[in-house]
C-alpha cells in the first residue's frame, strides 16, 4: 500500500458547514462539474477500517476528499475503477449519517451520506460480486448472524432474502436505512417463516419517513427469513440500502419538531423501543437517542422566529404574529383551534410544517373560520395523488398547507383549526403553526445542490417557483458574490389568465459568470426571490435550498430531498471549461410585441479534441407564450458562429424574461453542458395611451377636448389613430392621427344641445398597424382607456379619470 495518510476529523468549520448545505446528489450534471455517482460501502462500523471506493465522473487527477466522517482517510494505490481510500472510523464516533464530497479542479461534487453504526458490517453477496449467488428465494436466502448491518442493492423486481436464527421471546429490531441516506429505494421489510408465510410486514414507519422498521419477538426458536424489496419494484440508479438487525434502541415520535436556531431546547422522544417518553436536550439540528445501539438521529428543524409550545389542557389558544406554535394532535379526532386578532384590510399568511422532515405522521388539514364558525377557507384537503388506502400510514405528506388571505371588512378575529385529514392522532402527530402579517407570497426553491462556475464561463442555476397567492413577476438575486463573478437573468414573469385554486409552479434561471482571472475556490452566496406588491413595495424571500437531492425514477415520484440552510449556498469557482458559448448581440433587449429579432452566438473551444454532442439551443424558463425560435444552430466542424431568429406575436404578453444558449459537448470522455450568459428580453407595447387628466368645462351645446398622454417605443414608427367611442347620443369627437411622438393626444369634441344630461363612460381607442413587418399590414391595437363624461345644462362638463 502506497499511502499518504491524512487525518480528517468531523469538520465543524463554517466552511464545511456551508459546503454541506450546498453540495448534494444532483439530478443532472452541471457544466464542467465533477459528479460522485456511488460510495461503496454506504456505511461502516465505528472503530473499524473500511476500504472506501468513490466512483464518479471527472474524478481523475488531484482531488481532495471533504469528509465529515470522524476518523482518518488514506488514499490507496488504484486498483480497478474509482478512487480507493482506507477509512478508519473513530471508536467513539456517534452513530449517524455524515457528509462526504470531493473537490477537484473543476469544482465540487454532490454530497453523499456515509452511515456509521455500532454493529458488525457485511455485504449482500449478490450485489458484492456481479455473478454472486442470488438470494431471491427462501432456499437461497443469505445467512446472517445478529447483530449485523448488511449493505445491499435492489434491482428491478428484485427481492433480497436473509436467513437469521432467532430465540423465542428475545426481541430484535430490523431496520432499513435508504431514503434517509439519499437512496431512491422505497424499502419494504417483511419477516417470513421458513415455509414462506409472512409474519410481520412494514412499509413506511413512524419517525423515519419512507424507510421501514420492524420490532419482532420470535414466537419460537428457529430460522426466520427477512425480506427487503422496493415498494414499486422500480429500477433506480441510487439503489443501495442498509439492513440493520439487532437490539436497536429507537423512538418513533419527537416533540416539538423544531425550535429557534441557536437556542437549546428539551424535546420529548417516545414510542418505539422506549417504555416511557424520554427527555433529551438538543442544541443542533439532529436528535439522537442516547445509548450505544441507537440508529440514525432524527432531523430537527431550526428557524429564525420565536417559538412556543401549545398550551396544555383546555386553555384557549392564540396566535401571536411571527411566533411559531409547536402543537400535537395527541388523540384521534382531536382538533386544535387557535384565535388570531386581525384588522380589516390586513394581509396574512398562516402556514404549517409537519411533512418537511418526515418525522411527523400528520396529514395536516388547516381550516379558517370567522367568529361565528363559518368556514372561510381551507388547505390540505385537496385530492391526494394516491388512494387514501395507500397513504393511511405514510409519514411523507403531499406538502405542508398554508393560507394567504386579506381580512374582509367587519372581521376582527379569525379562528384556525389544525387536524389530521384522516382523523388520526397520537404522539407522532406533531406540527408547527405560524401566522405572519404579509401579502400573498411565493416559495422559490433551488433545484441544484452544487454550483460550479468555470472561470471564463457561465453556469445555470435552476429554480422552481411555488406561488402562494402572489401572481406577479419575481426576480432571483444573488448577494455576496466575489470580484470577477456576476449574476444575470433570474427573471420569472407574472402569471397571466387569472388566479386558480391551484398553486402554480414556474421555472427560472439565474446565470452566474466568472471572468478568466476570478480567484478559484468556494464562496458563500445568498439567494433571494424578490416580488413587488400592488403599491410598488419590494419584498424578498430567501430561496429554499437542499443539502441532498436524489432523483427517483417513475411517474409522479418526488426526488429525495433533505433541507439545507435557507438562502445560503456555496458556489465554487473552478477551472476553465473545454468550451464556451458567447452572445454577440446585445444582451439587454426591448422588443415590441409582434416583431422579430436576430440573436447571434459564438462557440469557442479551449482544448483540442472537444466534440459537439448537440445543437446550440436558445432556451428560456419558464416558456413564454407565443414565442418562436428559428434558425439552424447545429455546431458543425469548423462552425464557430450562428444566428437565431426570435419571433413574437401580438399574443406575446408584455413581460421580462431571460434567454440562454445551451449545448452539450464531450472532452476526454466527460460530457459537459455549456451555457452562455443570460439575454434579458423586455417585451413591450409599441405605444401607450394615457387616461384623460385635466377636466374641461363647457355648457351644453358647447365644445370641449379630451386629452391625455401618448408615448411610443423608438422602433415603432407607424401612424396611430386615436378616436373616442361609446359616446352618448348628441356628442361627437374628431379622431386624431399621430405620426410622431408629441407626448400627448387631444380630441376636439362637441356636445350638441340635444345631448341628455348625465354621467357617461366613454372609451378612447387607438388603432395602428404593426411596424417593421415587411409587406404585411397586421393590425396593432392596444386596449382602449376609459373616461367619465358628465353632461349638464349650463353646468360644468368634466372629463376625468374613472375611480
Amino acid at each position: 500500500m502506497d499511502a499518504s495518510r491524512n487525518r480528517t476529523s468531523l469538520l465543524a468549520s463554517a466552511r464545511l458547514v456551508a459546503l454541506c448545505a450546498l453540495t448534494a446528489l444532483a439530478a443532472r450534471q452541471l457544466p464542467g462539474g465533477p459528479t460522485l455517482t456511488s460510495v461503496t460501502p454506504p456505511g461502516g462500523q465505528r472503530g473499524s477500517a473500511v476500504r472506501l471506493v468513490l466512483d464518479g465522473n471527472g474524478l481523475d487527477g488531484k482531488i481532495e476528499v471533504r469528509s465529515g466522517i470522524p476518523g482518518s482517510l488514506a488514499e490507496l494505490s488504484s486498483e480497478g475503477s474509482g478512487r480507493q481510500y482506507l477509512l478508519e472510523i473513530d471508536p467513539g464516533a456517534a452513530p449517524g449519517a455524515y457528509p462526504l464530497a470531493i473537490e477537484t479542479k473543476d469544482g465540487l461534487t454532490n454530497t453523499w451520506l456515509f452511515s456509521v453504526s455500532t454493529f458488525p458490517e457485511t455485504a449482500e453477496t449478490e450485489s458484492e460480486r456481479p455473478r454472486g449467488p442470488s438470494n431471491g428465494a427462501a432456499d437461497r436466502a443469505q445467512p446472517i448472524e445478529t447483530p449485523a448491518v448488511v449493505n445491499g442493492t435492489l434491482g428491478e423486481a428484485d427481492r433480497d432474502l436473509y436467513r437469521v436464527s432467532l430465540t423465542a421471546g428475545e426481541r430484535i429490531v430490523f431496520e432499513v436505512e435508504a431514503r434517509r441516506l439519499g437512496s431512491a429505494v422505497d424499502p419494504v421489510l417483511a419477516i417470513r417463516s421458513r415455509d414462506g408465510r409472512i409474519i410481520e410486514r412494514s412499509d413506511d414507519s413512524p419517525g423515519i419517513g419512507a424507510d421501514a422498521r420492524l420490532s419482532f419477538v420470535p414466537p419460537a426458536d428457529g430460522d426466520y427469513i427477512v425480506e427487503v424489496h422496493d415498494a414499486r419494484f422500480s429500477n433506480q440508479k441510487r439503489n443501495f440500502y442498509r439492513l440493520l438487525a439487532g437490539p436497536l434502541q429507537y423512538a418513533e415520535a419527537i416533540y416539538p419538531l423544531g425550535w429557534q436556531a441557536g437556542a437549546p431546547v428539551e424535546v420529548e422522544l417516545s414510542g418505539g423501543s422506549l417504555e416511557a417518553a424520554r427527555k433529551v436536550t438538543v442544541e443542533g439540528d439532529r436528535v439522537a437517542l442516547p445509548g450505544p445501539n441507537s440508529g440514525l438521529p432524527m432531523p430537527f428543524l431550526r428557524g429564525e422566529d420565536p417559538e412556543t409550545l401549545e398550551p396544555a389542557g383546555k386553555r384557549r389558544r392564540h396566535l401571536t404574529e411571527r411566533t411559531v406554535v409547536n402543537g400535537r394532535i395527541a388523540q384521534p379526532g382531536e382538533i386544535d383551534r387557535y384565535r388570531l386578532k386581525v384588522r380589516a384590510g390586513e394581509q396574512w399568511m398562516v402556514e404549517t410544517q409537519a411533512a418537511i422532515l418526515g418525522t411527523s405522521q400528520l396529514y395536516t388539514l388547516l381550516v379558517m373560520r370567522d367568529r361565528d364558525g363559518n368556514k372561510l377557507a381551507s388547505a390540505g384537503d385537496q385530492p391526494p395523488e394516491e388512494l387514501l388506502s395507500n397513504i393511511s400510514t405514510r409519514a411523507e405528506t403531499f406538502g405542508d398547507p398554508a393560507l394567504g388571505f386579506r381580512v374582509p371588512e367587519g372581521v376582527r378575529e379569525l379562528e384556525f383549526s389544525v387536524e389530521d385529514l384522516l382523523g388520526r392522532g397520537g404522539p407522532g402527530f406533531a406540527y408547527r403553526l405560524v401566522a405572519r402579517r404579509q401579502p400573498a407570497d411565493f416559495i422559490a426553491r433551488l433545484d441544484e445542490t452544487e454550483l460550479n462556475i468555470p472561470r471564463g464561463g457561465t453556469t445555470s442555476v435552476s429554480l422552481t417557483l411555488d406561488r402562494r397567492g402572489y401572481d406577479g413577476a419575481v426576480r432571483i438575486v444573488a448577494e455576496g458574490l466575489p470580484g470577477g463573478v456576476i449574476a444575470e437573468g433570474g427573471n420569472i414573469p407574472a402569471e397571466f389568465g387569472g388566479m386558480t385554486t391551484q398553486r402554480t409552479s414556474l421555472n427560472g434561471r439565474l446565470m452566474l459568470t466568472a471572468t478568466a482571472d476570478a480567484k478559484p475556490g468556494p464562496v458563500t452566496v445568498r439567494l433571494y426571490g424578490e416580488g413587488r406588491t400592488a403599491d410598488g413595495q419590494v419584498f424578498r424571500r430567501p430561496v429554499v435550498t437542499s443539502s441532498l437531492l436524489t432523483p427517483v425514477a417513475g411517474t409522479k415520484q418526488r426526488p429525495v430531498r433533505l433541507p439545507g440552510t435557507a438562502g445560503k449556498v456555496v458556489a465554487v469557482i473552478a477551472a476553465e471549461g473545454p468550451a464556451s458559448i458567447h452572445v454577440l448581440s446585445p444582451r439587454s433587449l426591448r422588443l415590441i410585441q409582434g416583431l422579430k429579432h436576430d440573436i447571434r452566438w459564438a462557440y469557442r473551444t479551449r482544448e483540442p479534441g472537444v466534440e459537439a454532442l448537440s445543437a446550440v439551443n436558445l432556451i428560456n424558463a419558464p416558456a413564454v407564450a407565443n414565442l418562436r425560435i428559428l434558425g439552424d444552430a447545429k455546431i458543425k466542424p469548423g462552425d464557430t458562429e450562428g444566428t437565431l431568429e426570435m419571433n413574437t406575436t401580438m399574443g406575446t404578453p408584455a413581460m421580462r424574461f431571460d434567454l440562454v444558449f445551451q449545448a452539450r459537448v464531450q472532452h476526454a470522455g466527460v460530457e459537459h453542458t455549456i451555457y452562455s450568459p443570460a439575454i434579458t428580453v423586455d417585451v413591450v407595447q409599441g405605444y401607450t395611451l394615457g387616461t384623460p387628466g385635466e377636466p374641461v368645462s363647457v355648457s351644453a351645446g358647447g365644445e370641449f377636448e379630451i386629452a391625455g398622454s401618448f408615448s411610443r417605443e423608438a422602433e415603432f414608427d407607424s401612424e396611430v389613430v386615436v378616436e373616442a367611442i361609446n359616446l352618448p347620443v348628441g356628442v361627437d369627437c374628431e379622431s386624431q392621427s399621430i405620426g410622431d411622438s408629441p407626448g400627448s393626444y387631444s380630441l376636439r369634441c362637441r356636445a350638441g344641445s340635444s345631448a341628455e344630461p348625465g354621467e357617461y363612460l366613454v372609451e378612447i381607442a387607438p388603432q395602428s398597424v404593426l411596424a417593421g413587418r415587411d409587406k404585411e399590414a397586421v393590425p396593432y391595437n392596444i386596449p382602449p382607456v376609459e373616461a367619465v363624461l358628465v353632461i349638464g345644462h349650463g353646468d360644468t362638463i368634466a372629463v376625468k379619470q374613472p375611480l
Side-chain angles (χ1 to χ4, degrees):
M1 179 178 69
D2 179 16
S4 174
R5 183 162 298 179
N6 297 311
R7 181 74 177 174
T8 60
S9 62
L10 176 60
L11 302 179
S13 67
R15 184 183 184 194
L16 180 64
V17 171
L19 288 173
C20 293
L22 163 73
T23 56
L25 182 62
R28 54 188 177 279
Q29 187 173 343
L30 289 178
T35 305
L36 192 56
T37 58
S38 72
V39 173
T40 308
Q45 183 185 16
R46 65 182 181 182
S48 67
V50 177
R51 188 182 187 92
L52 197 64
V53 181
L54 310 179
D55 272 305
N57 301 317
L59 304 184
D60 298 330
K62 183 180 179 180
I63 66 173
E64 182 178 353
V65 178
R66 299 195 173 278
S67 168
I69 308 169
S72 62
L73 275 175
E75 185 163 13
L76 304 173
S77 57
S78 178
E79 296 179 4
S81 63
R83 304 296 292 259
Q84 301 185 30
Y85 290 82
L86 179 66
L87 168 63
E88 293 183 279
I89 307 173
D90 284 348
Y98 296 90
L100 184 149
I102 297 177
E103 185 173 355
T104 76
K105 66 179 181 62
D106 295 322
L108 199 63
T109 69
N110 47 286
T111 292
W112 277 65
L113 295 179
F114 184 89
S115 182
V116 173
S117 73
T118 60
F119 296 159
E121 305 240 349
T122 187
E124 179 203 8
T125 53
E126 182 182 17
S127 61
E128 187 180 33
R129 299 192 301 271
R131 296 184 180 180
S134 170
N135 61 346
D139 59 348
R140 296 194 300 271
Q142 178 179 338
I144 59 173
E145 294 184 2
T146 62
V149 178
V150 183
N151 294 293
T153 59
L154 288 169
E156 189 174 8
D158 190 12
R159 295 177 186 268
D160 290 346
L161 275 61
Y162 302 94
R163 186 175 71 251
V164 58
S165 181
L166 302 177
T167 302
E170 292 187 4
R171 182 177 297 275
I172 186 171
V173 176
F174 298 96
E175 179 176 324
V176 179
E177 294 176 354
R179 289 291 178 95
R180 288 170 292 169
L181 295 178
S183 173
V185 170
D186 182 359
V188 175
L189 181 63
I191 300 176
R192 296 178 179 269
S193 61
R194 285 297 301 270
D195 60 6
R197 177 175 53 87
I198 292 181
I199 302 174
E200 292 193 24
R201 181 180 184 275
S202 171
D203 190 346
D204 303 342
S205 297
I208 58 175
D211 283 349
R213 180 195 288 137
L214 280 173
S215 180
F216 180 59
V217 179
D221 292 350
D223 289 348
Y224 293 84
I225 303 297
V226 180
E227 176 185 328
V228 181
H229 68 83
D230 182 75
R232 293 178 173 82
F233 293 99
S234 57
N235 187 17
Q236 304 289 345
K237 291 183 178 180
R238 308 290 190 263
N239 64 345
F240 63 89
Y241 68 87
R242 286 166 54 81
L243 171 64
L244 285 70
L248 276 173
Q249 300 296 312
Y250 68 93
E252 291 181 322
I254 179 175
Y255 177 76
L257 299 177
W259 205 254
Q260 188 173 19
V265 62
E266 189 176 66
V267 304
E268 176 188 287
L269 298 175
S270 60
S273 63
L274 300 179
E275 295 182 358
R278 188 167 181 175
K279 300 287 187 177
V280 176
T281 299
V282 181
E283 296 185 356
D285 59 357
R286 293 291 185 270
V287 181
L289 188 65
N293 294 329
S294 61
L296 289 181
M298 289 183 170
F300 190 71
L301 193 64
R302 290 290 187 173
E304 298 179 355
D305 295 326
E307 309 242 355
T308 187
L309 298 176
E310 66 174 335
K314 296 184 178 180
R315 293 169 53 191
R316 176 166 289 188
R317 296 174 168 88
H318 294 276
L319 290 178
T320 302
E321 183 183 1
R322 305 195 73 84
T323 296
V324 179
V325 177
N326 290 275
R328 178 164 52 181
I329 304 300
Q331 301 293 332
E334 178 181 314
I335 301 176
D336 289 352
R337 304 180 189 276
Y338 298 85
R339 299 276 183 168
L340 176 66
K341 298 289 185 182
V342 295
R343 293 182 179 180
E346 290 179 340
Q347 290 181 279
W348 286 83
M349 179 68 69
V350 177
E351 55 189 318
T352 63
Q353 290 178 325
I356 187 171
L357 296 178
T359 50
S360 175
Q361 297 175 260
L362 186 68
Y363 279 93
T364 310
L365 172 60
L366 177 65
V367 180
M368 179 174 68
R369 294 178 174 87
D370 61 20
R371 291 193 63 177
D372 298 326
N374 299 310
K375 181 178 176 180
L376 302 178
S378 64
D381 49 357
Q382 294 84 4
E385 298 176 9
E386 300 183 48
L387 296 176
L388 290 180
S389 60
N390 293 337
I391 65 173
S392 59
T393 61
R394 291 176 61 89
E396 178 186 355
T397 72
F398 298 111
D400 291 319
L403 286 173
F405 59 93
R406 183 185 295 273
V407 180
E409 290 294 331
V411 175
R412 296 183 179 179
E413 188 177 71
L414 292 168
E415 179 189 88
F416 295 89
S417 63
V418 178
E419 60 185 294
D420 183 69
L421 179 64
L422 305 178
R424 304 165 302 163
F429 289 78
Y431 64 86
R432 292 159 59 81
L433 177 68
V434 64
R436 297 184 177 90
R437 186 158 34 191
Q438 65 178 56
D441 70 350
F442 56 86
I443 296 175
R445 187 182 69 238
L446 183 65
D447 296 330
E448 324 291 357
T449 51
E450 68 279 351
L451 307 181
N452 295 315
I453 314 171
R455 285 183 293 172
T458 301
T459 194
S460 172
V461 182
S462 176
L463 301 109
T464 297
L465 191 69
D466 187 8
R467 296 185 180 274
R468 304 196 301 179
Y470 174 76
D471 61 352
V474 174
R475 186 186 177 204
I476 307 299
V477 297
E479 295 182 353
L481 293 173
V485 179
I486 61 171
E488 297 175 296
N491 294 293
I492 303 177
E495 283 287 290
F496 293 90
M499 292 295 295
T500 68
T501 58
Q502 300 295 321
R503 295 182 296 177
T504 302
S505 294
L506 292 175
N507 298 321
R509 289 176 182 267
L510 180 71
M511 310 305 294
L512 298 178
T513 301
T515 60
D517 58 353
K519 183 180 179 181
V523 57
T524 302
V525 179
R526 291 192 175 273
L527 299 178
Y528 298 91
E530 289 187 346
R532 191 177 295 271
T533 62
D535 59 359
Q537 296 295 316
V538 175
F539 67 95
R540 56 167 48 187
R541 300 287 180 263
V543 171
V544 176
T545 62
S546 301
S547 63
L548 186 144
L549 180 65
T550 300
V552 180
T555 59
K556 296 184 178 180
Q557 298 303 304
R558 289 175 172 81
V560 179
R561 188 186 300 274
L562 298 183
T565 304
K568 188 177 181 180
V569 297
V570 171
V572 177
I573 303 173
E576 291 184 338
S580 60
I581 305 177
H582 304 270
V583 181
L584 303 181
S585 303
R587 291 197 284 113
S588 180
L589 304 175
R590 287 181 65 85
L591 187 61
I592 299 171
Q593 294 165 314
L595 294 187
K596 63 182 180 180
H597 195 284
D598 290 339
I599 303 177
R600 297 176 56 222
W601 55 268
Y603 167 69
R604 303 284 186 263
T605 59
R606 296 190 179 96
E607 303 286 345
V610 178
E611 178 187 0
L613 299 180
S614 75
V616 172
N617 297 310
L618 189 60
I619 57 177
N620 69 290
V624 175
N626 299 303
L627 180 71
R628 291 186 303 162
I629 307 296
L630 304 175
D632 180 12
K634 181 65 178 177
I635 302 175
K636 301 184 180 70
D639 285 355
T640 58
E641 297 184 5
T643 301
L644 293 178
E645 180 182 285
M646 177 177 60
N647 283 277
T648 62
T649 71
M650 283 295 298
T652 306
M655 63 169 66
R656 171 173 289 186
F657 63 92
D658 302 312
L659 297 170
V660 176
F661 285 109
Q662 171 187 288
R664 290 186 301 111
V665 301
Q666 182 171 285
H667 178 250
V670 179
E671 183 177 321
H672 301 261
T673 301
I674 58 175
Y675 299 92
S676 74
I679 306 166
T680 299
V681 180
D682 285 294
V683 178
V684 296
Q685 288 185 166
Y687 58 91
T688 302
L689 205 66
T691 57
E694 296 295 327
V696 59
S697 300
V698 65
S699 300
E703 296 181 350
F704 63 96
E705 290 184 348
I706 299 178
S709 62
F710 177 85
S711 63
R712 69 164 77 232
E713 292 293 318
E715 293 186 15
F716 193 91
D717 55 6
S718 297
E719 180 185 56
V720 178
V721 176
V722 181
E723 62 178 349
I725 59 177
N726 296 331
L727 294 169
V729 176
V731 177
D732 296 301
C733 293
E734 298 177 359
S735 62
Q736 180 183 2
S737 176
I738 304 176
D740 51 13
S741 298
S744 64
Y745 65 90
S746 178
L747 305 182
R748 298 179 59 185
C749 304
R750 178 179 177 81
S753 58
S754 62
E756 290 289 332
E759 184 174 296
Y760 301 91
L761 187 67
V762 300
E763 295 181 331
I764 314 303
Q767 296 182 13
S768 187
V769 295
L770 195 60
R773 286 294 295 264
D774 300 328
K775 298 180 181 179
E776 296 181 78
V778 179
Y780 190 98
N781 302 324
I782 65 174
V785 297
E786 295 180 340
V788 175
L789 175 62
V790 180
I791 301 178
H793 285 300
D795 296 326
T796 300
I797 297 178
V799 179
K800 59 184 179 180
Q801 184 174 346
L803 298 177

